[in-house]
Amino acid sequence: MTAVTPVRAVREMAANTVNGGTGLAKPPSGTGTAAPAGPPPGANAPSLRPINEAAEVKAITRGTVQASMEVLAGVRPIHQLARRLDPRCLASLQHRAALIRRELTRTGNPALARLHRNSTVRSVRVCEVAEGIYEASAVVVDDVRARAVAVRLERSKQVWRVVELVIG
């Protein structure tokens, strides 16, 4: 199996599917590659709003929890979460990360060094508790153990913000 599609096959596929609606356009003359076609003139551009608000909250929760675990592991700077977490949650996470680093340097415990390393978010569940307010739970597995994370998100000015973050 070749890694590159032959030019002739791409041209044939583009010629056969332009009118069929699969989104491939004829290649520009002189080039051998197909370019994705834009929307036809006069068509409405697709909306950037999510189809499902719960799915959006779930994705935000997954990313925020993963980033928070990376902060605790010491592989991500805390300031990258400043836009997503409210100031109290951010300060709490920063304090916990500092305590972990201080205890690691004080004791040199190898088990503590593995804490929060290679964390993976296994599952996320979300529940709407009021208009614009969701609560979510996540299961995170790292090198040492599995843990639960609870998150509360609130919409403010069309932006989701984490107002509670509890890492078990």
Side-chain angles (χ1 to χ4, degrees):
M1 174 182 242
T2 61
V4 178
T5 305
V7 174
R8 186 175 352 132
V10 171
R11 285 184 183 158
E12 290 172 5
M13 186 171 52
N16 292 336
T17 60
V18 166
N19 295 328
T22 61
L24 288 177
K26 287 186 180 180
S29 61
T31 64
T33 59
N44 293 336
S47 173
L48 295 178
R49 297 296 307 149
I51 296 172
N52 185 347
E53 191 174 72
E56 179 187 19
V57 170
K58 193 174 194 178
I60 290 169
T61 300
R62 180 177 293 277
T64 303
V65 168
Q66 181 68 45
S68 298
M69 300 310 288
E70 291 170 1
V71 166
L72 293 178
V75 296
R76 179 186 290 263
I78 187 80
H79 67 82
Q80 290 183 0
L81 287 171
R83 292 182 63 198
R84 184 65 65 199
L85 299 178
D86 84 333
R88 192 177 50 79
C89 288
L90 192 68
S92 175
L93 184 64
Q94 186 173 20
H95 180 69
R96 183 170 174 166
L99 287 175
I100 291 170
R101 282 192 308 274
R102 185 172 66 188
E103 189 65 19
L104 179 61
T105 57
R106 187 180 70 80
T107 62
N109 186 353
L112 193 58
R114 289 192 345 255
L115 193 62
H116 303 295
R117 294 286 177 185
N118 301 321
S119 295
T120 305
V121 179
R122 289 293 169 103
S123 66
V124 177
R125 304 269 193 258
V126 298
C127 178
E128 184 176 20
V129 294
E131 180 70 28
I133 300 173
Y134 277 81
E135 290 185 351
S137 63
V139 176
V140 179
V141 178
D142 59 31
D143 285 349
V144 179
R145 65 182 211 166
R147 65 184 73 241
V149 179
V151 179
R152 183 179 179 102
L153 296 102
E154 294 180 3
R155 183 188 290 279
S156 67
K157 300 178 186 172
Q158 301 303 318
V159 176
W160 288 104
R161 183 152 230 166
V162 175
V163 295
E164 289 291 332
L165 177 68
V166 180
I167 301 172

